[in-house]
Amino acid sequence: MSTDPQPAPMFPNGLSAAEAVRRLQTEGFNELPQAGSRSILRLVADVLKEPMLLLLLGGAGIYLALGDTAEAILLGVFASASVFITIVQEARTERVLESLRDLSSPRALVIRDGERIRIAGREVVRGDLIVLSEGDRVAADAVLRDCDDLLTDESLLTGESVPVRKRPAAGEAMDAATVAGGDDQPFVFSGSLVVRGGGLAEVMATGPHTAIGRIGQSVTALETETPRLRQQTRRLVVAFAIGGAIVVAITVVLYAMYRGGWLEGILAGIALGMSMLPEEFPVVLTVFLAMGAWRISQARVLTRRASAIESLGAATVLCSDKTGTLTQNRMMVARLVLPDGGVLQPATATPEAIAPPFRDLVATAVLACDPQSHDPMEKALHALGADATAGATLQRRYGLRPDLLAMTNVWSRDGAGVAAAKGAPEAIAKLCGVDGGALAALQARVETLAAEGLRVLGVAEASWSGEALPDAQQDFAFSFRGLVGFADPLRPEVKDAVAECRAAGVRVIMITGDYPATATAIARQAGIDPERVIAGPELADLDDDALALAARAPTAFARIMPEQKLRIVTALKADGEIVAMTGDGVNDAPSLKAAHIGIAMGGRGTDVAREASAIVLLDDDFGSIVKAIRLGRRIYDNLRKAMSFILAVHFPIAGLALLPLVTGLPLLLGPVHIAFLEMIIDPVCSLVFEAETEESDIMRRPPRDPQEPLLPRPLVLWGALQGILAMLATGGVLLLAHRNGMPDDELRALVFFSLVSVIVSLIFVNRSFSSSLREALLRPNRMLLLVIGFVVAVLATSLTLPAAAALFRFGPLHADDLALTAAAAITTLIMLELSKFPLRAALSRRADKPDQVVKAASPAR
């Protein structure tokens, strides 16, 4: 087999081994700084920065200083558990990311001291000569000194899935202004893939000085958006601290003035302070986020920052890259067009999908491909006609040339020969001598296919008699065989995922480096239906206000540079949107980090993209984003239910601590009772809400207002109403039993049992804001059954075990006493359920009108 002659390399010897070692020591390894990797110590430090956990540890310190060792130990145990859960989850994520990083590290074939040696990509230095072959991952930015029919896939840098043509350098220099993308460049870039041909390149930049490295440095300079949940919890902590301090101070003074002394006042203040300090909040918050990260990991989604899941539930805009995110980043034959105008759209990428009249066209196109190709379009053709080369021998190949964008393979089979060519339609038409009306008709068909977002190749065939082969492919007598249109197919789950996003009031905006026609076609297939496609040059002429205004309508962006992606995200954030950004390439990393929630593709994504993101999709499934949005909304809903429940529980506990002040009754609840209620019963009951399934309308609501506090005024009032009714129920039991002369020990046990029973009833009240009591009682929740069993066991132990009864200072209770506690709980439950009807009606009206929800989710700001 003969091939086109190859020029002799310009620098056959390369660097010396000694010079390579010197440069490696001076300039460092050819790798990016891994600032995103976090050690265990850093994970611990990040966890300890959480305000709620700091409050928990601070409370333990206060109790220890006051001599309440048991309570301090209990708080410390919960704090340690919170730290452990979070660190295990985050460390697991880091391990997976590290394994992905190791898999993506390329090796390189270099020439040193005149010999070719294979080295690790991180050991490549500036000035090395690297040998490029099909299937190689380019290890560094380099200038081509020699190449033959070289195509590289630069989609990780540009977002475009079609390989670009390369040529040898003719004096050009590579500098920081050199960018990837476009045909006939003499440069190759770190991270790009050689899909056809080969060459010899001189390394100009390594590590942080490469195009990938410069983007990585810009990512490092960006500040990660502070999670809104963290901001809200800080405000909540301050509010509780101020309110609790005021009430405790008033209680101490009143006890000292009206109950006979400062010592009793201080003891009452300690008990009341314990009843008002929200020790449960850090436990609930940490468990909810850690369990949420675990739940979403079951769908192969890693969360680098657990709070990002909750933030995703508030997203109003989802900015998505096209290549590799909405599409599969592979080429598929989408159209076959015969010379007479006949068209076939293959239903599948299999030979059985090709009708007989089109098989000759496919066979010729396959013969024009390399037998072992990495080119995505050639791989798509091989999938349709793998047996076209059976029994044939490749005699010669004519590669692409700048003056003729076509390639030809010459084959022999059973003594006969055939030349098969493919390339740009205009180049194939020139080879075939097509002109006049036939050329105009061909151009019209090409334009029609291009308008559908397809990449189009022409195919031609010529016979060969076995004589000496010509020097150029123009010397064959080609006949036109037809056109082949290629598309990067949409991921199968994307259309349904986009529709669900729209129903949830989340706008999907596609941002791509591809051509506007391709962007429009893919956007319509995905259901995005843009009213306007803004190309990069047009975007450059828009100021930030005009850009934000344009992005309020259904929009797609095409021919976008990396810095323009960042500008789009920034403009959307400035317009008040909560922005989620998906991507996989290095070019996506700045916008991934700048967005409120960065979502990287883990399968084919780059290290830079993964480390700039808060969420990583391990299976690159776009539909997993919708699962994460649903889970984020569920977490926030359930977190609010738990917070409302905790707020309600504090009312009767604090009320029973204050009641002796205004009634003259004995102090029934001491620190041990309150600590037990808040650190055992209350948090365990709160875990029920984490296991609650989502409300039926959760994906038919508009995104919540990002400025809305975690506990808005209506929810505070709802929690207060629950707490006041619970306080009246337990206080009523206390007054009734005291009037009947019940001894203090029995009275304490009765009040404690009544309080616990009412707390359990509040669980059912808060299980749902919109469903009926019957559904709240019957809806499965394994954790609820475990909690009820735990509560019953604890109460039974406190009565029947003498040591426990002595610790709590409980007296015996009788059947009528237990019936009274049950009556208090049932009465509270019924009254609160009746009060939910107006709220339930409002939620039902919203669920019945999802179209209005979508409109409401896109306000004109």
Side-chain angles (χ1 to χ4, degrees):
M1 182 181 75
S2 63
T3 60
D4 286 349
Q6 298 184 11
M10 299 176 63
F11 307 102
N13 293 325
L15 294 176
S16 66
E19 177 63 16
V21 170
R22 188 189 70 79
R23 294 191 181 188
L24 190 65
Q25 293 173 343
T26 302
E27 301 177 7
F29 286 106
N30 176 36
E31 58 188 6
L32 301 182
Q34 298 179 4
S37 180
R38 294 179 291 177
S39 65
I40 292 295
L41 290 178
R42 182 176 172 184
L43 288 176
V44 173
D46 288 344
V47 172
L48 292 178
K49 290 179 183 177
E50 291 294 332
M52 284 300 180
L53 187 60
L54 292 176
L55 177 64
L56 187 60
L57 294 173
I62 292 173
Y63 292 148
L64 187 62
L66 292 174
D68 294 325
T69 307
E71 288 81 359
I73 292 175
L74 202 55
L75 282 167
V77 168
F78 275 102
S80 301
S82 301
V83 173
F84 178 77
I85 291 172
T86 305
I87 288 177
V88 167
Q89 175 64 30
E90 301 243 1
R92 174 180 174 271
T93 297
E94 291 298 327
R95 285 196 301 272
V96 174
L97 290 173
E98 187 65 36
S99 65
L100 290 172
R101 187 182 298 117
D102 292 342
L103 289 174
S104 64
S105 179
R107 295 182 64 80
L109 182 64
V110 301
I111 299 177
R112 289 183 180 172
D113 293 321
E115 296 184 1
R116 297 188 177 194
I117 59 172
R118 182 77 64 177
I119 63 173
R122 67 192 299 265
E123 297 175 5
V124 171
V125 299
R126 182 178 53 83
D128 258 329
L129 289 180
I130 53 176
V131 180
L132 303 176
S133 303
E134 287 187 22
D136 285 349
R137 184 74 66 178
V138 180
D141 288 4
V143 175
L144 284 164
R145 300 306 182 191
D146 172 46
C147 66
D148 175 47
D149 194 19
L150 180 63
L151 292 180
T152 63
D153 178 354
E154 298 176 348
S155 61
L156 294 181
L157 283 165
T158 65
E160 298 181 40
S161 56
V162 177
V164 292
R165 206 169 46 247
K166 297 295 180 181
R167 63 171 175 82
E172 295 92 343
M174 174 178 272
D175 54 31
T178 304
V179 295
D183 288 322
D184 297 322
Q185 278 201 47
F187 312 114
V188 291
F189 299 88
S190 177
S192 58
L193 178 69
V194 178
V195 297
R196 190 168 71 210
L200 189 67
E202 182 182 357
V203 174
M204 293 287 124
T206 61
H209 305 292
T210 62
I212 285 180
R214 290 193 295 272
I215 294 176
Q217 289 177 317
S218 70
V219 171
T220 303
L222 293 172
E223 291 293 331
T224 302
E225 185 78 15
T226 302
R228 292 179 180 268
L229 188 60
R230 180 182 296 178
Q231 301 171 15
Q232 293 174 348
T233 52
R234 284 174 179 167
R235 290 195 293 266
L236 204 59
V237 168
V238 172
F240 265 91
I242 294 174
I246 292 173
V247 173
V248 168
I250 293 174
T251 301
V252 172
V253 173
L254 290 178
Y255 260 84
M257 293 175 61
Y258 296 105
R259 293 296 298 270
W262 287 97
L263 179 59
E264 187 178 5
I266 292 174
L267 292 174
I270 291 174
L272 183 60
M274 292 174 62
S275 71
M276 298 193 66
L277 188 66
E279 302 97 335
E280 311 92 341
F281 280 5
V283 178
V284 171
L285 186 61
T286 302
V287 168
F288 269 54
L289 294 181
M291 288 299 295
W294 175 80
R295 289 184 189 280
I296 198 65
S297 71
Q298 305 306 299
R300 296 188 56 76
V301 177
L302 283 178
T303 54
R304 304 197 71 206
R305 292 184 292 275
S307 58
I309 300 178
E310 177 277 326
S311 299
L312 189 57
T316 60
V317 174
L318 174 57
C319 295
S320 176
D321 184 36
K322 177 185 74 69
T323 305
T325 305
L326 294 176
T327 65
Q328 300 177 30
N329 195 33
R330 67 177 181 85
M331 284 296 170
M332 185 180 76
V333 175
R335 298 286 191 283
L336 295 171
V337 183
L338 298 177
D340 62 4
V343 179
L344 175 67
Q345 181 177 351
T348 61
T350 60
E352 293 75 19
I354 307 304
F358 297 87
R359 288 175 184 168
D360 288 342
L361 170 59
V362 172
T364 303
V366 173
L367 288 173
C369 299
D370 288 341
Q372 303 294 328
S373 179
H374 295 273
D375 186 310
M377 289 189 285
E378 293 189 347
K379 291 168 71 174
L381 287 169
H382 278 296
L384 290 180
D387 59 347
T389 59
T393 303
L394 180 62
Q395 298 297 319
R396 182 170 180 175
R397 52 187 300 272
Y398 299 82
L400 292 171
R401 291 291 180 265
D403 59 337
L404 183 67
L405 300 181
M407 62 174 292
T408 299
N409 287 342
V410 182
W411 299 81
S412 65
R413 179 190 287 143
D414 299 329
V418 62
K422 66 176 176 63
E426 61 272 16
I428 295 298
K430 181 179 178 180
L431 284 177
C432 297
V434 178
D435 56 13
L439 181 59
L442 176 62
Q443 290 174 337
R445 290 168 188 161
V446 171
E447 291 173 0
T448 299
L449 294 174
E452 298 178 28
L454 304 182
R455 306 283 180 177
V456 186
L457 292 180
V459 178
E461 185 179 17
S463 60
W464 168 55
S465 62
E467 301 172 355
L469 290 170
D471 293 332
Q473 51 189 324
Q474 293 95 324
D475 296 329
F476 288 99
F478 281 107
S479 297
F480 184 66
R481 288 291 179 261
L483 300 171
V484 182
F486 298 86
D488 184 1
L490 196 72
R491 289 181 177 272
E493 73 277 1
V494 164
K495 191 168 184 178
D496 289 341
V498 169
E500 194 164 0
C501 284
R502 293 183 65 178
V506 181
R507 292 189 296 124
V508 180
I509 296 177
M510 187 178 74
I511 305 175
T512 179
D514 219 327
Y515 293 95
T518 305
T520 302
I522 291 296
R524 287 175 178 167
Q525 291 175 32
I528 297 174
D529 299 328
E531 295 177 1
R532 181 181 180 186
V533 177
I534 300 177
E538 181 184 356
L539 174 62
D541 295 332
L542 298 176
D543 59 28
D544 290 343
D545 292 337
L547 174 57
L549 182 63
R552 291 176 186 173
T555 308
F557 294 89
R559 303 302 290 170
I560 298 299
M561 301 298 292
E563 61 272 15
Q564 291 179 317
K565 289 187 177 185
L566 178 59
R567 190 176 162 219
I568 293 169
V569 170
T570 303
L572 289 168
K573 289 171 62 179
D575 200 35
E577 304 285 3
I578 303 301
V579 183
M581 172 74 189
T582 73
D584 56 5
V586 174
N587 61 321
D588 298 321
S591 49
L592 286 171
K593 188 167 184 179
H596 293 103
I597 314 105
I599 308 168
M601 300 297 172
R604 68 175 301 275
T606 59
D607 295 340
V608 176
R610 289 193 292 263
E611 292 179 359
S613 300
I615 293 176
V616 180
L617 307 182
L618 290 182
D619 55 5
D620 292 1
D621 184 353
F622 186 83
S624 296
I625 299 173
V626 178
K627 297 176 185 176
I629 291 176
R630 182 185 294 110
L631 180 64
R633 293 189 173 193
R634 167 185 164 179
I635 287 175
Y636 197 78
D637 266 9
N638 290 345
L639 186 60
R640 280 187 161 182
K641 293 172 185 177
M643 294 298 187
S644 176
F645 167 78
I646 292 171
L647 180 64
V649 167
H650 275 273
F651 274 84
I653 296 176
L656 290 174
L658 277 172
L659 196 59
L661 174 66
V662 297
T663 62
L665 293 172
L667 187 64
L668 296 178
L669 298 184
V672 65
H673 303 96
I674 295 173
F676 181 81
L677 284 169
E678 294 190 356
M679 298 311 300
I680 300 295
I681 300 294
D682 198 0
V684 171
C685 290
S686 298
L687 295 179
V688 172
F689 298 111
E690 193 284 325
E692 282 295 319
T693 56
E694 65 265 18
E695 304 278 347
S696 60
D697 68 336
I698 198 167
M699 292 300 286
R700 298 196 300 273
R701 308 175 191 168
R704 70 176 186 275
D705 184 351
Q707 302 303 321
E708 186 179 57
L710 181 60
L711 284 177
R713 182 176 299 174
L715 200 60
V716 171
L717 294 176
W718 171 238
L721 174 62
Q722 297 178 68
I724 291 171
L725 287 177
M727 184 171 60
L728 292 175
T730 51
V733 170
L734 168 60
L735 295 176
L736 179 63
H738 183 264
R739 180 175 299 178
N740 291 331
M742 180 176 282
D744 287 352
D745 287 351
E746 294 182 17
L747 183 61
R748 183 176 291 108
L750 179 63
V751 170
F752 188 84
F753 272 54
S754 299
L755 181 56
V756 172
S757 299
V758 169
I759 287 174
V760 172
S761 74
L762 294 182
I763 295 177
F764 290 98
V765 171
N766 286 282
R767 286 192 70 190
S768 173
F769 293 139
S770 58
S771 63
S772 66
L773 176 60
R774 180 177 180 274
E775 292 177 359
L777 291 173
L778 298 180
R779 188 167 58 191
N781 186 328
R782 184 179 301 176
M783 184 59 71
L784 176 61
L785 297 178
L786 293 175
V787 164
I788 292 177
F790 173 79
V791 170
V792 171
V794 167
L795 293 181
T797 302
S798 68
L799 278 182
T800 58
L801 188 65
L807 175 64
F808 287 100
R809 291 179 292 161
F810 284 169
L813 293 180
H814 306 91
D816 55 342
D817 299 324
L818 297 177
L820 182 61
T821 64
I826 294 172
T827 302
T828 304
L829 177 61
I830 293 174
M831 293 183 66
L832 288 172
E833 279 298 317
L834 292 176
S835 68
K836 285 169 59 175
F837 273 103
L839 176 62
R840 184 179 302 125
L843 289 172
S844 298
R845 283 195 300 271
R846 181 178 61 187
D848 292 339
K849 300 180 180 180
D851 292 338
Q852 293 184 8
V853 169
V854 175
K855 293 177 182 178
S858 303
R861 294 181 175 84

